[in-house]
Amino acid sequence: MDRLDLPPMKWVNSIGAFELVLAGSFVLLYLAFIWRVIRTTQRLGLPQRRVLIKTILRTIYFGLIITALLGPSFGDTSREVKTVGKDIFICIDLSQSMNATDVQPSRLEKVKFELKNIVEAFNSDRIGLIMFSSEAYMQCPLTYDNNALNLFIQTLNTDMVPNFGTDFGPPLEMATEKLIADDTVITRSKSKITILISDGEDFGDNTDEIAEELESEGITLFTLGVGTKQGSKIPTRNGFKTDKSGNEVVTQLNSTSLEELAENTGGEYFEINESRNDVARLISAINGVEGEMRDAKQVDATQNRYFYFLGLALFLMLMDVVFSVKLIKL
């Protein structure tokens, strides 16, 4: 004879110490009330059958109400769970000009603050960090670990990379290689994004070639310029940075190369300065990029069936009200 295997009962809520104390107090008080009713019926010589029935009835619907509150879940059901997300590489310029203070407290510190907002906005996506100046270095590979990513962001400073000019080519090439080489996804779509953050002119020779590769691979590029047209001096440990002639250098935002790069790859240019902050628009633009399905699986699920128990309890409560016990004979 085959045995029928019923699905196990699961509970949405659990009983804690406080609930147990309340339930125990109620049971004790109710038992005292029942004892008093029985003693009264005995003294009056009334039949105790109805009292016993009502006691059992009330005990049952009280138990049903407790069961409903616990959220009984059962039943064999399944549903498909899909994991959808984006891969985002952030390339941040760490040339000395990022220490300029035309954006308070400095260009770099302002960027670091806004990067934390971007990370928080996309906490379910994989984000990586590349730092660059004339060369590019992987600071943090693609990761879901936002705490680690924020720690890497906090430690960014202009002493971490050689400073011999700014070249957009190396960070874009590194980001492209990492995004293309990633084969952990099921499909390839436009869910791969690179954000290039800089304040200066591009002195590289192969940026245009990398931009064409970005576009051909379907990688969306957003550029973010930091600084002002008026510019400011570059603070150093001994005052301000000077050129070969001894004159203090004034660094200005050169947005032309960033705008052209974004336009050539079908992306969009954004800017941060004292009167403009496009980070919210940048986040909105990234949100507009369609996510990519990374995984899909069937999971077993049960449904909270509390209403069955609550409905039966209400019916028994109605029966309790309809059938009363007479303690006095007229």
Side-chain angles (χ1 to χ4, degrees):
M1 181 177 179
D2 294 335
R3 182 170 58 88
L4 180 61
D5 292 327
L6 296 177
M9 179 81 74
K10 297 181 181 179
W11 307 95
V12 176
N13 305 307
S14 59
I15 296 180
F18 180 72
E19 290 81 1
L20 286 174
V21 170
L22 287 181
S25 301
F26 176 83
V27 170
L28 291 176
L29 292 174
Y30 185 64
L31 289 175
F33 169 75
I34 295 300
W35 174 251
R36 183 174 181 182
V37 171
I38 292 175
R39 291 292 300 272
T40 302
T41 56
Q42 288 176 344
R43 290 176 183 177
L44 296 176
L46 299 174
Q48 300 178 15
R49 183 168 175 269
R50 278 181 171 254
V51 175
L52 180 60
I53 293 175
K54 290 181 74 67
T55 300
I56 296 174
L57 193 65
R58 291 174 180 175
T59 302
I60 292 174
Y61 69 65
F62 175 73
L64 289 171
I65 291 174
I66 295 298
T67 302
L69 290 174
L70 291 177
S73 301
F74 55 88
D76 289 328
T77 58
S78 63
R79 61 181 178 181
E80 185 180 45
V81 176
K82 296 180 180 180
T83 303
V84 179
K86 306 179 182 72
D87 285 344
I88 304 171
F89 257 118
I90 300 173
C91 304
I92 179 169
D93 184 359
L94 292 185
S95 58
Q96 289 185 4
S97 59
M98 290 293 286
N99 291 326
T101 57
D102 53 348
V103 178
Q104 293 293 325
S106 72
R107 294 175 181 176
L108 180 57
E109 290 303 318
K110 179 63 173 178
V111 168
K112 288 163 64 174
F113 175 80
E114 296 297 346
L115 281 180
K116 292 181 179 179
N117 294 330
I118 294 174
V119 170
E120 183 179 357
F122 301 100
N123 53 24
S124 61
D125 299 311
R126 295 199 305 172
I127 303 177
L129 189 64
I130 295 174
M131 53 186 183
F132 74 95
S133 180
S134 55
E135 300 178 21
Y137 302 89
M138 179 67 66
Q139 175 72 342
C140 179
L142 291 170
T143 180
Y144 290 108
D145 190 345
N146 293 336
N147 292 328
L149 190 60
N150 282 322
L151 183 61
F152 282 120
I153 291 173
Q154 186 62 37
T155 60
L156 289 174
N157 64 80
T158 56
D159 294 329
M160 298 178 72
V161 297
N163 275 273
F164 300 105
T166 303
D167 188 350
F168 294 163
L172 293 178
E173 184 176 9
M174 180 178 291
T176 303
E177 289 177 354
K178 296 299 181 182
L179 290 172
I180 295 175
D182 178 29
D183 58 357
T184 61
V185 295
I186 295 177
T187 60
R188 294 197 176 276
S189 65
K190 295 183 179 180
S191 65
K192 300 184 182 299
I193 299 168
T194 299
I195 304 172
L196 181 69
I197 304 174
S198 180
D199 63 353
E201 186 177 356
D202 177 25
F203 295 98
D205 297 326
N206 65 338
T207 302
D208 291 338
E209 297 176 6
I210 300 300
E212 292 178 2
E213 186 176 2
L214 280 168
E215 189 174 14
S216 64
E217 293 293 341
I219 300 174
T220 304
L221 175 64
F222 297 115
T223 58
L224 179 63
V226 187
T228 63
K229 299 296 183 181
Q230 295 77 21
S232 72
K233 300 176 184 178
I234 304 174
T236 64
R237 294 184 179 87
N238 301 317
F240 296 97
K241 183 178 180 180
T242 58
D243 57 20
K244 295 180 180 180
S245 301
N247 300 317
E248 293 180 342
V249 175
V250 176
T251 174
Q252 300 171 316
L253 170 65
N254 190 327
S255 60
T256 303
S257 56
L258 291 169
E259 291 174 344
E260 291 178 352
L261 186 59
E263 182 179 353
N264 293 338
T265 57
E268 192 172 352
Y269 170 75
F270 303 91
E271 193 168 302
I272 296 178
N273 53 46
E274 288 298 291
S275 60
R276 175 180 173 184
N277 190 335
D278 290 340
V279 172
R281 290 182 54 237
L282 172 60
I283 292 175
S284 178
I286 297 174
N287 278 323
V289 177
E290 183 179 356
E292 185 171 314
M293 187 178 72
R294 304 185 182 282
D295 190 18
K297 59 182 178 180
Q298 295 288 333
V299 297
D300 294 330
T302 57
Q303 185 177 358
N304 189 350
R305 311 283 183 173
Y306 74 93
F307 44 85
Y308 292 142
F309 298 87
L310 186 59
L312 182 56
L314 293 175
F315 174 75
L316 294 179
M317 290 176 66
L318 179 61
M319 296 290 292
D320 186 24
V321 173
V322 171
F323 296 101
S324 60
V325 176
K326 294 182 180 180
L327 296 181
I328 299 177
K329 291 183 178 180
L330 298 178

